[in-house]
């Protein structure tokens, strides 16, 4: 660990990893065109995907990726919070529990027993939970993975002291802004766009696929009505339940809908 | 040369004249518009629906297409009869041509301590739309009042709108969700077009009756050979339009509707709609007259500032965000805002209806919520409530 120079007035940035795939933090390195300018505006104090050099906190802004799945991580996040003036969670794992949140729906140890030869060596929690279940979070950036333009926008807004221009509305708004023909209306393709937060730019419907719900529930998601329509279009409760159980399975609104659909019992 | 042959006699055409052209001559008309410097666009087939696209000849149009539309459902089928306009409205309106989903307003940089603003350059090439529907032409006039002639003109709108040449295709095959006859915006074309086509295919063959709408339209037709419309053509055209009205099964009772909605703000129906409404905003985005937008200022790493306008929707929670939270926090209040603006307060604001009856909001609502059905239900509740009131008064 090295010391921050007393003359460097740039705000410090730290990037932390919990249970995750690293895809979201790599979005920062994906900001190729802006990365050098950004690195001039902030001092990157801790970011192991970029540099082994690490400086001690406190940090002005921490980006936190990943969910809490182990007792150790439940401790570690407390320290990250203490060391951070602003804490921003990035990605579906950190904001909702991630794909590993599927364990929350299964019997204890069911997945570990399938994946590992000796699950008894693991020291994990029964659940995968978002960072906000453990510490106060200042801002949540959704997506699996997050959109790098949105990440950049959050950092630029932080630097300028303004509100990030990040939408909370449905994917449909981006989808229509992109001039797509709705796959649900024109083809009865199950699409989670109407209940999913925008951010991807309507990527999947642009190639004829239904939205997978990567950005989690939109601000006013009416999953009950959408699920009813998917059923009218022929989907079973089992299928609708699976649609809601992906990267954001543990987000409360999606979770409730998948449980409601599983209970329909018409697989 | 037959008695009715008008080839070369174009300059003699007047507004309201009716002439007849064949498919080949429609092709010539499109080519002529291109030669005159217009960017020619029209309905095309894309992603299983009829959508605006580049049209350089009749083969780019939706040849043989038929649409089946119902609440929340749209399908295309094809016939080999070569008809070009036997479908109703497409998936997207022409709104995006004048009012892009996303448009930079300006960019500012600091040079030597002063702010320097730059605005995007505006497209100079005029647009010709071949095959817009009557309701779509009506919608363009509605938008004009808001975005061009209103209190807050849009910076990009008039540049694209100016010089627009409209060839409207009057409707002979209304869709399952159309109700333009109730709104007075179709199936025959009202004002706002340069040339109006009505497609016929009977014993006299596949042809288009062309009605001249403007002097500019007459000038363009001057370069295309045509024949005068015969009495039979005129009668067939009128019959086709009558048939079209009779085939339109969806209606909106507009009588007293603005006042009815204004006094129905507490109707229990709004909450019932909200149980189904996804608040997704699709209805507003496909609507040819919805104009709500969002203006955002962003900064970049170099310190430059940009203002961008994007389409927004009254269904977006952030759209009514004021200090402390959104004014319309519930879905019922947002649906109520949308519908009462379209059918009631638009009159107060712009002295027209905000709805032209194109039916897009019905077809393209993922859960098939139907504005005509909801208006009828609110009217029913209102009538029932008034009947009770009259009864109570009498007692
Ligand atoms: S394709 Fe999906 S995201 Fe796009 S408008 Fe339809 S429902 Fe919404
Ligand atoms: S409110 Fe619906 S029917 Fe009326 S113009 Fe808009 S999209 Fe068309
Ligand atoms: S009425 Fe339909 S299209 Fe409009 S916001 Fe509600 S669900 Fe979406």
């Amino acid at each position: 660990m090295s010391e921050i120079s007393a003359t460097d007035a740039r705000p410090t940035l730290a990037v932390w990893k919990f249970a995750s795939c690293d895809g979201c933090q790599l979005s920062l390195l994906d900001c190729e065109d802006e990365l050098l300018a950004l690195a001039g505006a902030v001092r990157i104090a801790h970011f192991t995907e970029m540099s082994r050099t690490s400086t001690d906190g406190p940090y002005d802004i921490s980006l936190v990726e990943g969910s809490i799945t182990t007792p150790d991580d439940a401790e570690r996040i407390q320290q990250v919070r203490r060391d951070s003036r602003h804490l921003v969670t990035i990605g579906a794992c950190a904001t909702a529990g991630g794909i590993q949140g599927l364990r929350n729906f299964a019997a204890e140890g069911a997945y570990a027993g399938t994946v590992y030869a000796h699950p008894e060596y693991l020291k994990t929690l029964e659940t995968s939970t978002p960072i906000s279940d453990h510490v106060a979070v200042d801002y949540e950036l959704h997506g699996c993975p997050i959109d790098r333009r949105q990440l950049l926008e959050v950092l630029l807004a932080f630097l300028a002291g303004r509100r990030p221009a990040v939408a909370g509305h449905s994917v449909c708004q981006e989808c229509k802004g992109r001039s797509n023909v709705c796959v649900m209306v024109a083809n009865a393709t199950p699409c989670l766009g109407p209940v999913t937060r925008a951010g991807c730019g309507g990527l999947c419907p642009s190639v004829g696929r239904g939205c997978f719900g990567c950005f989690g529930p939109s601000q006013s998601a009416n999953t009950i009505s959408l699920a009813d329509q998917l059923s009218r279009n022929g989907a079973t409760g089992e299928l609708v339940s699976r649609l809601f159980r992906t990267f954001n399975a543990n987000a409360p609104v999606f979770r409730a809908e998948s449980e409601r659909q599983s209970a329909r019992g018409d697989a | 040369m037959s008695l009715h042959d008008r080839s070369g006699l174009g300059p003699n055409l007047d507004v309201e004249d009716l002439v007849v052209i064949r498919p080949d001559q429609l092709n010539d008309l499109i080519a002529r518009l291109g030669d005159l410097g217009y960017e020619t666009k029209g309905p095309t087939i894309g992603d299983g629906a009829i959508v605006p696209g580049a049209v350089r000849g009749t083969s780019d149009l939706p040849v043989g297409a038929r649409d089946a539309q119902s609440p929340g459902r749209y399908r295309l089928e094809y016939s080999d009869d070569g008809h070009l306009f036997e479908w109703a409205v497409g998936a997207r309106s022409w709104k995006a041509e004048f009012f892009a989903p996303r448009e930079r307003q300006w960019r500012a940089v600091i040079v030597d301590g002063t702010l320097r603003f730059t605005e995007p350059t505006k497209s100079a090439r005029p647009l010709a739309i071949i095959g817009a529907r009557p309701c779509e032409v009506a919608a363009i006039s509605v938008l004009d009042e808001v975005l061009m002639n209103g209190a807050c003109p849009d910076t990009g709108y008039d540049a694209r709108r100016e010089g627009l040449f409209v060839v409207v295709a009057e409707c002979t095959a209304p869709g399952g969700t159309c109700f333009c006859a109730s709104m007075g915006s179709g199936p025959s074309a009202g004002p706002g077009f340069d040339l109006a086509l009505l497609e016929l295919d009977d014993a006299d063959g596949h042809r288009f009756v062309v009605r001249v709408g403007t002097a500019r339209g007459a000038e363009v037709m001057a370069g295309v050979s045509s024949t005068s419309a015969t009495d039979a053509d005129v009668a067939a055209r009128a019959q086709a339009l009558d048939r079209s009205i009779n085939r339109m099964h969806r209606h909106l009772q507009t009588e007293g509707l603005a006042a009815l909605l204004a006094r129905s703000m507490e109707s229990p129906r709004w909450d019932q709609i909200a149980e189904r409404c996804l608040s997704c905003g699709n209805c507003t985005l496909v609507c040819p007259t919805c104009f709500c937008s969002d203006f955002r200022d962003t900064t970049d790493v170099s310190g430059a500032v940009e203002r961008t306008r994007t389409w927004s929707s009254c269904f977006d929670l952030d759209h009514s965000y004021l200090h402390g939270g959104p004014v319309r926090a519930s879905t019922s209040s947002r649906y109520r805002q949308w519908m009462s603006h379209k059918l009631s307060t638009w009159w107060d604001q712009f002295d027209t209806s905000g709805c032209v009856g194109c039916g897009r909001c019905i077809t393209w609502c993922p859960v098939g919520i139907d504005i005509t059905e909801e208006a009828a239900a609110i009217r029913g509740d209102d009538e029932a409530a008034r009947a009770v009131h009259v009864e109570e008064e009498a007692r």
Side-chain angles (χ1 to χ4, degrees), chain A residues 170-176 180-186 189-196 202-206 208-211 226, chain B residues 278 280 282 285-286 364-366:
Chain A
S170 68
V171 171
C172 298
Q173 279 204 43
E174 289 187 313
C175 186
K176 282 286 189 294
N180 291 338
V181 170
C182 176
V183 299
M184 206 160 139
V185 170
T189 304
C191 181
L192 293 186
V195 296
T196 299
L203 196 60
C204 291
S206 304
R209 304 286 303 256
C211 164
L226 181 68
Chain B
L278 303 166
C280 61
N282 275 303
L285 302 162
V286 294
W364 298 97
C365 170

Side-chain angles (χ1 to χ4, degrees), chain B residues 326-347:
Chain B
V327 174
R328 292 185 282 271
S330 66
T331 297
S332 58
S333 66
R334 295 201 289 280
Y335 186 91
R336 180 179 68 188
Q337 159 65 25
W338 176 68
M339 183 166 155
S340 55
H341 192 208
K342 296 269 99 169
L343 301 174
S344 178
T345 50
W346 205 293
W347 284 101

Side-chain angles (χ1 to χ4, degrees), chain B residues 81-111:
Chain B
D81 57 16
H83 295 176
L84 299 177
F85 299 113
E86 209 155 324
W87 43 271
V89 285
R92 295 203 296 274
S93 77
W94 291 99
K95 172 168 80 175
E97 292 294 329
F98 320 109
F99 189 57
R102 179 180 194 90
E103 197 161 48
R104 191 161 85 196
Q105 306 289 292
W106 47 255
R107 181 179 165 85
V109 288
I110 298 173
V111 183

